[in-house]
């Protein structure tokens, strides 16, 4: 199997779908789980420390649980990616999304989502984290903003001192920016869904994940894979 850079348009559509799902799930989890993020472990760690200092032990240990679920799921997903191929991770994300919908519609909504949603975004973060040569976790927006800023600065420096600075890949600016935009759109869609009290919030992303699975599987079938 050949390891090569994906065309920018291919990486762009993958980043958009993954960012959309991450923003949507993270925003929805924050509301449904009472201040627990499914993917923003920096926020969870900050809240965990503040909760322990303030004596809010139940919430602090709840956040410990979310971090543990996320970490364990990331380890297992990374192992699976090394042994198999990313398309399996996309398939597992789809299964977890269906399970999240089942939990959302059940009497065990809170604990079901608490167990499933951090695992879902951990799977996302470990399944595909490099796009057209740019390492980029689609669930970490702070990192992607810094990557976009670094790309812009490098591009400016290359114009000012072309003999010393190499012009960066266009994807190093465009893809992190697209990740931020799609994450924001996903969060807005979650807020709109909550405002209209939608009954099936975890089902509408399934066609997007199906498209992503087909896209990734097709490139793997053709013997191309970007690690």
């Amino acid at each position: 199997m050949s390891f090569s850079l994906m065309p920018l348009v291919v990486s762009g559509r993958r980043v958009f779908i993954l960012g959309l799902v991450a923003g949507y799930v993270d925003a929805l989890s924050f509301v449904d789980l009472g201040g627990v993020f499914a993917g923003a472990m920096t926020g969870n760690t900050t809240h965990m420390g503040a909760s322990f200092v303030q004596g809010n032990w139940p919430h602090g240990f709840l956040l410990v649980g979310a971090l543990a679920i996320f970490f364990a799921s990331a380890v297992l997903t990374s192992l699976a990616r090394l042994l198999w191929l990313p398309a399996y991770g996309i398939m597992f994300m789809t299964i977890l999304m269906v399970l999240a919908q089942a939990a959302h519609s059940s009497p065990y909504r809170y604990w079901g989502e608490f167990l499933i949603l951090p695992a879902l975004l951990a799977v996302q973060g470990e399944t595909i984290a490099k796009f057209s040569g740019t390492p980029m976790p689609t669930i970490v927006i702070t990192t992607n903003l810094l990557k976009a800023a670094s790309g812009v600065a490098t591009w400016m420096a290359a114009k000012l001192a072309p003999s010393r600075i190499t012009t960066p890949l266009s994807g190093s600016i465009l893809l992190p920016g697209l990740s931020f935009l799609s994450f924001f759109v996903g969060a807005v869609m979650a807020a709109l869904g909550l405002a209209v009290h939608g009954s099936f919030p975890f089902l509408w992303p399934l066609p997007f994940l199906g498209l992503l699975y087909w896209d990734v599987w097709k490139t793997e079938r053709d013997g191309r894979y970007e690690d």
Side-chain angles (χ1 to χ4, degrees):
M1 182 171 292
S2 63
F3 294 81
S4 59
L5 294 183
M6 288 293 146
L8 192 58
V9 66
V10 174
S11 291
R13 65 175 175 250
R14 293 179 180 181
V15 166
F16 182 80
I17 292 173
L18 290 170
L20 197 70
V21 170
Y24 182 83
V25 172
D26 218 23
L28 197 60
S29 71
F30 186 75
V31 176
D32 274 6
L33 302 180
V36 178
F37 289 106
M41 293 302 124
T42 302
N44 285 343
T45 303
T46 302
H47 289 164
M48 180 179 66
S51 296
F52 285 143
V53 169
Q54 294 168 0
N56 189 356
W57 298 95
H59 190 66
F61 283 116
L62 189 69
L63 291 164
V64 171
L67 286 159
I69 292 168
F70 184 91
F71 182 78
S73 300
V75 170
L76 293 174
T77 304
S78 184
L79 178 63
R81 180 173 55 83
L82 292 170
L83 295 177
W84 296 298
L85 292 170
Y88 289 100
I90 305 301
M91 182 186 300
F92 193 46
M93 281 179 61
T94 305
I95 293 171
L96 287 174
M97 195 72 79
V98 173
L99 291 176
Q101 179 59 53
H104 185 81
S105 305
S106 77
Y108 308 101
R109 171 175 171 172
Y110 183 90
W111 292 111
E113 290 188 19
F114 181 82
L115 292 171
I116 294 168
L117 298 183
L120 193 159
L121 289 192
V123 172
Q124 172 169 328
E126 279 296 312
T127 295
I128 306 178
K130 182 180 284 188
F131 305 88
S132 297
T134 302
M136 193 181 69
T138 53
I139 63 172
V140 186
I141 295 306
T142 303
T143 298
N144 291 341
L145 284 174
L146 290 173
K147 284 182 176 294
S150 177
V152 170
T154 304
W155 178 82
M156 294 171 64
K159 296 299 182 183
L160 295 172
S163 61
R164 293 192 297 114
I165 307 297
T166 302
T167 302
L169 296 171
S170 57
S172 66
I173 301 172
L174 296 176
L175 294 176
L178 179 61
S179 177
F180 167 78
L181 178 62
S182 60
F183 192 99
F184 173 73
V185 171
V188 169
M189 293 177 72
L192 291 174
L194 290 167
V196 300
H197 305 289
S199 300
F200 305 100
F202 295 104
L203 293 187
W204 75 261
L206 295 184
F208 289 94
L209 291 176
L211 174 63
L212 181 63
Y213 173 80
W214 174 82
D215 186 17
V216 174
W217 173 82
K218 182 166 63 71
T219 57
E220 291 173 358
R221 182 198 60 186
D222 295 339
R224 294 181 294 126
Y225 171 60
E226 183 177 57
D227 190 13

